[in-house]
Amino acid sequence: MVPLNWYIWLSGVLFCVGMFGFITRRNLIIMLLSVEIMFNAVNISLVAFSHYMEDLAGQILVFMIIAVAAAEAAIGLALVIALFRNKETITVDEINEMRG
């Protein structure tokens, strides 16, 4: 049986990778994927705690987070596509105005 602290370390490392990618990269798609990595890091820790505490509430919460993350990814990609069609760029530094 894998100890709980291994899951917590894995979750922490994945969250840090996602946060590093979100902060350092300027591409909107990479930033969106970094947010997804952070969501999955939280999911790993929730499932690990749920398993070790023998409570299914954490796993049910993970299913809800996965559904919200899927909707967030679909909406985010749709916004990136719409932005690319209007501005022809997905770099955050070049997108500095919200007017149409």
Side-chain angles (χ1 to χ4, degrees):
M1 186 168 188
V2 179
L4 179 62
N5 59 356
W6 288 17
Y7 290 110
I8 301 306
W9 276 102
L10 175 66
S11 174
V13 168
L14 279 178
F15 192 85
C16 288
V17 167
M19 188 170 55
F20 180 75
F22 186 80
I23 291 172
T24 59
R25 303 300 296 262
R26 299 289 93 195
N27 188 330
L28 280 176
I29 294 175
I30 300 296
M31 292 173 76
L32 191 64
L33 290 176
S34 297
V35 170
E36 293 295 326
I37 289 173
M38 288 191 280
F39 274 140
N40 286 326
V42 171
N43 286 341
I44 288 172
S45 64
L46 280 174
V47 168
F49 280 121
S50 173
H51 176 72
Y52 280 93
M53 294 177 69
E54 297 179 357
D55 185 16
L56 289 178
Q59 295 177 15
I60 293 170
L61 182 63
V62 166
F63 280 124
M64 191 178 84
I65 290 173
I66 289 172
V68 170
E72 174 260 334
I75 292 171
L77 285 176
L79 288 173
V80 169
I81 289 171
L83 189 64
F84 181 75
R85 286 183 180 165
N86 286 334
K87 305 283 184 183
E88 295 189 3
T89 184
I90 54 173
T91 305
V92 174
D93 295 334
E94 297 176 9
I95 305 167
N96 56 6
E97 63 184 35
M98 296 298 287
R99 288 186 281 157

